[in-house]
Amino acid sequence: MMTYSQENHERIQAVEKLFGSSGRPLYQPGRVLIGEGRLMKGCRRGPQAKVFFLFNDVLVYGNILLAHRWYNRQKIIPLEDIRLEDMEDSLTMKNQWLIQTPRKSFLVAAASAEEKKAWISHITDCQSTLPRWDPSRARPSFAVAWVPDEASCTCMRCSRQFSATQRRHHCRKCGFLVCGRCSKHRAVIGHIQPEKHLRICSVCSSSLLGSGTPEESCQRGGSGGRFSSDKDNDAGFRGEEEGTEYNKWISLWSKYYLKPEDFRAELRSKVKGQ
């Protein structure tokens, strides 16, 4: 009969196989897979179904190419870098909350209020088991959540109408939808990408210059150009057909393997046994 540690190891290996060669290794000593499920993630082109795996120290998510068989674009977020914020329902997403991290912040939504509560409870409980977790400690700067593309048909700085030639862009500092003319400036935003100059709007550029923050400006003739940092890694995927269950609101928190309180009890028993 397998021990819990062996079962946990096999479950994590199974998750690694689902992401294939494109994913990073997930197993390491002491890491426990708490649960998994599907959530709707707010992306710039609207809510999209993503698979989420909660471990005792990290949150992993990715695109669904084939349910329970093939995922890609794996993202790994340390739980110590996450801050959760409850949000009211919107027109496009119900039972939602905000996941904030230094590099990226985004909205996720569950199928029901009970499921939302379960996800938030499990994440916060796992955070409380982290060895150096201190909710009162100074937290890093968090990235803002981007305003969805469909939220505005005009630039949120100059009110120009967006069109096929007047494309939408996002300011990396404030998250607003802006046109190319209002987002010609670039700046290093250390907590997002310290090695790159990212697109920012004219208002944020003025704010940075006024505060004495180093900022580099680039002037371009039109809004058609695209910098490598402009690419939205979550802007749509082609792995699911319309009309499948993954585009519907279904029960997502369908499986968890170990409650955080049980994990804490297991840790205590190991400490006593040493």
Side-chain angles (χ1 to χ4, degrees):
M1 183 176 180
M2 286 196 300
T3 66
Y4 176 80
S5 295
Q6 291 172 325
E7 291 177 354
N8 176 66
H9 190 182
E10 287 195 358
R11 282 194 285 264
I12 295 178
Q13 285 183 320
V15 175
E16 291 176 335
K17 289 180 181 179
L18 291 172
F19 283 101
S21 59
S22 65
R24 291 164 54 189
L26 294 172
Y27 179 77
Q28 57 182 249
R31 177 166 288 171
V32 178
L33 177 58
I34 301 297
E36 62 182 82
R38 283 193 296 271
L39 296 172
M40 299 300 289
K41 177 179 178 291
C43 301
R44 65 176 299 176
R45 292 180 175 85
Q48 295 180 6
K50 305 284 182 178
V51 61
F52 281 78
F53 297 92
L54 177 61
F55 296 83
N56 61 307
D57 61 336
V58 294
L59 181 66
V60 177
Y61 72 92
N63 287 354
I64 302 171
L65 298 177
L66 188 61
H68 309 298
R69 294 188 181 183
W70 187 16
Y71 308 133
N72 73 349
R73 291 189 177 178
Q74 180 195 73
K75 302 291 189 301
I76 303 176
I77 309 174
L79 292 186
E80 63 184 5
D81 290 343
I82 288 178
R83 182 173 69 183
L84 304 180
E85 183 178 340
D86 193 9
M87 303 293 289
E88 296 292 333
D89 291 350
S90 68
L91 293 176
T92 56
M93 292 175 64
K94 298 184 183 301
N95 308 308
Q96 65 177 346
W97 69 97
L98 180 64
I99 296 178
Q100 294 178 293
T101 77
R103 293 181 65 89
K104 186 174 185 177
S105 298
F106 52 90
L107 291 166
V108 292
S112 67
E114 292 75 16
E115 206 162 290
K116 168 185 173 179
K117 183 179 179 181
W119 271 99
I120 293 176
S121 175
H122 278 78
I123 293 173
T124 53
D125 282 350
C126 285
Q127 287 178 321
S128 70
T129 69
L130 297 174
R132 292 178 295 275
W133 176 252
D134 181 5
S136 62
R137 70 182 173 92
R139 305 305 300 276
S141 298
F142 291 97
V144 298
W146 287 7
V147 175
D149 281 7
E150 71 272 12
S152 179
C153 59
T154 61
C155 173
M156 300 177 75
R157 292 306 185 194
C158 70
S159 298
R160 287 187 181 89
Q161 191 86 17
F162 291 127
S163 65
T165 56
Q166 191 73 267
R167 295 172 49 231
R168 289 172 169 81
H169 299 283
H170 280 90
C171 171
R172 271 39 175 191
K173 184 166 176 59
C174 67
F176 278 20
L177 282 167
V178 290
C179 66
R181 188 177 300 181
C182 290
S183 58
K184 293 181 179 180
H185 300 275
R186 300 293 182 272
V188 173
I189 306 177
H191 60 276
I192 298 180
Q193 282 184 297
E195 72 283 0
K196 287 187 178 181
H197 287 77
L198 305 178
R199 180 189 296 272
I200 60 172
C201 68
S202 53
V203 173
C204 289
S205 175
S206 299
S207 174
L208 288 174
L209 289 173
S211 63
T213 304
E215 187 262 346
E216 179 179 326
S217 177
C218 299
Q219 297 295 324
R220 299 185 300 173
S223 62
R226 191 174 181 92
F227 280 54
S228 60
S229 59
D230 292 340
K231 184 177 180 181
D232 177 22
N233 290 331
D234 293 313
F237 53 93
R238 299 289 184 265
E240 298 177 7
E241 299 178 0
E242 293 183 4
T244 65
E245 64 174 345
Y246 314 116
N247 295 322
K248 298 178 182 178
W249 292 102
I250 57 176
S251 179
L252 307 185
W253 186 263
S254 56
K255 184 189 304 180
Y256 65 89
Y257 305 103
L258 185 68
K259 295 180 180 180
E261 55 265 31
D262 295 334
F263 177 66
R264 284 195 292 271
E266 183 177 323
L267 286 178
R268 287 194 294 269
S269 64
K270 287 183 178 179
V271 171
K272 291 179 179 178
Q274 292 176 350

